[in-house]
Amino acid sequence: MNESTLRIGVLMPTVLGTYGDTGNAVVLRERARRRGIAAEIVMVDLDDPIPSDLDVYTLGGGEDTAQSLAAAKLRGDKGLRRGVEGGAPLLAICASLQVLGRWYRDAEGRRVAGLELLDVTTDPQGLRSIGELVTEPLVEGLTQKLTGFENHGGGTVLGPDAKPLGRVLIGTGNGVPEGTAAPQERHDGVVQGNVIATYMHGPVLARNPELADLLLRRATNTDLEPLEVPGVEALRRERLASAATPPRE
Ligand code: GLN
């Protein structure tokens, strides 16, 4: 941690920030501050160099054109790679999950090179997955169901170096590329090295305080005291109940 202030990066919020994903950084900052840890958000937009010395990075989702701008920026700027390889955790949502992989296929069918921080590839599913997503976490340190909102056309396949974040209970998650066989067990998200990626918007950290604290522990290299934030449990209960209720005809 730099000069004892936790610095939380939000990369390219103008192109990667659908469904309030920028809120993930706000949640990290607030959960740090409420424990007496000084924290600030560093906004890094398309024209700014990406600092390699931030303590934690967040990347949001984005629509197809925005996503290709972000992919080009990340290929041309080594700051994020240096930061993550230097030990900073990175949270990536939806389009960013795809961009951090080996490649993804865009809406026009072109294969776009990714950052190769994740051993994944993404092809169109042939349909959009839209709705609530609930998973059972598969990562040590997470015990509570993960809840979020998904909206994506891509289906992501994990290679051997990538592990899933959760097992899908409701919704699609990583999905299945068109023309390929569905796996027996469906998964959401990717965990590899210092990267945690998911298809969950929400913002996902507002709905899943355990995940926020996992990132904070890694960013601060400290154990954290338990923290109750009023309203979070009620939000979780309401969203999990809503996801379990079949949509009206
Ligand atoms: N454009 C990507 C897709 O549809 C990601 C969408 C998103 O980030 N919400 O798969």
Side-chain angles (χ1 to χ4, degrees):
M1 229 161 75
N2 212 343
E3 291 157 11
S4 76
T5 296
L6 183 78
R7 296 168 77 222
I8 304 159
V10 178
L11 305 191
M12 296 165 282
T14 49
V15 287
L16 293 178
T18 44
Y19 311 117
D21 291 334
T22 303
N24 288 319
V26 176
V27 173
L28 289 174
R29 185 184 63 190
E30 287 311 307
R31 295 190 72 84
R33 284 184 176 171
R34 286 178 193 219
R35 290 175 166 111
I37 301 169
E40 65 183 24
I41 292 175
V42 179
M43 292 282 186
V44 183
D45 228 320
L46 270 179
D47 295 333
D48 304 327
I50 300 175
S52 57
D53 62 349
L54 301 182
D55 297 302
V56 50
Y57 294 85
T58 64
L59 282 166
E63 295 319 321
D64 295 343
T65 310
Q67 178 171 347
S68 59
L69 291 172
K73 162 79 177 175
L74 288 173
R75 280 195 305 270
D77 184 319
K78 300 283 173 279
L80 177 64
R81 180 182 299 281
R82 288 202 191 101
V84 171
E85 288 176 353
L90 161 62
L91 175 70
I93 309 298
C94 197
S96 302
L97 178 159
Q98 300 175 0
V99 167
L100 295 183
R102 297 191 180 284
W103 50 262
Y104 68 92
R105 209 174 286 281
D106 69 12
E108 275 75 50
R110 288 178 298 234
R111 202 188 257 207
V112 180
L115 252 67
E116 304 197 1
L117 284 174
L118 298 177
D119 182 15
V120 306
T121 58
T122 301
D123 278 301
Q125 298 187 89
L127 51 86
R128 281 200 88 72
S129 298
I130 305 172
E132 291 293 315
L133 174 58
V134 179
T135 68
E136 176 185 75
L138 297 172
V139 173
E140 210 184 309
L142 299 180
T143 58
Q144 299 179 333
K145 282 180 187 169
L146 294 163
T147 151
F149 172 82
E150 63 182 330
N151 181 355
H152 57 102
T156 298
V157 175
L158 277 56
D161 292 339
K163 300 284 172 255
L165 174 63
R167 186 173 68 84
V168 172
L169 302 174
I170 297 170
T172 298
N174 293 337
V176 183
E178 195 172 15
T180 62
Q184 284 204 321
E185 191 172 277
R186 288 175 301 141
H187 293 135
D188 171 64
V190 189
V191 179
Q192 187 176 335
N194 294 325
V195 184
I196 297 180
T198 172
Y199 272 103
M200 290 184 180
H201 304 278
V204 67
L205 297 188
R207 291 203 198 182
N208 301 284
E210 264 195 352
L211 184 59
D213 285 353
L214 180 75
L215 286 159
L216 270 186
R217 272 200 304 277
R218 291 186 183 177
T220 57
N221 286 315
T222 52
D223 283 337
L224 298 172
E225 299 153 25
L227 177 72
E228 284 299 318
V229 175
V232 171
E233 272 316 305
L235 170 70
R236 284 182 57 77
R237 269 200 307 279
E238 191 275 327
R239 285 293 85 202
L240 288 167
S242 158
T245 309
R248 277 185 231 156
E249 292 298 314

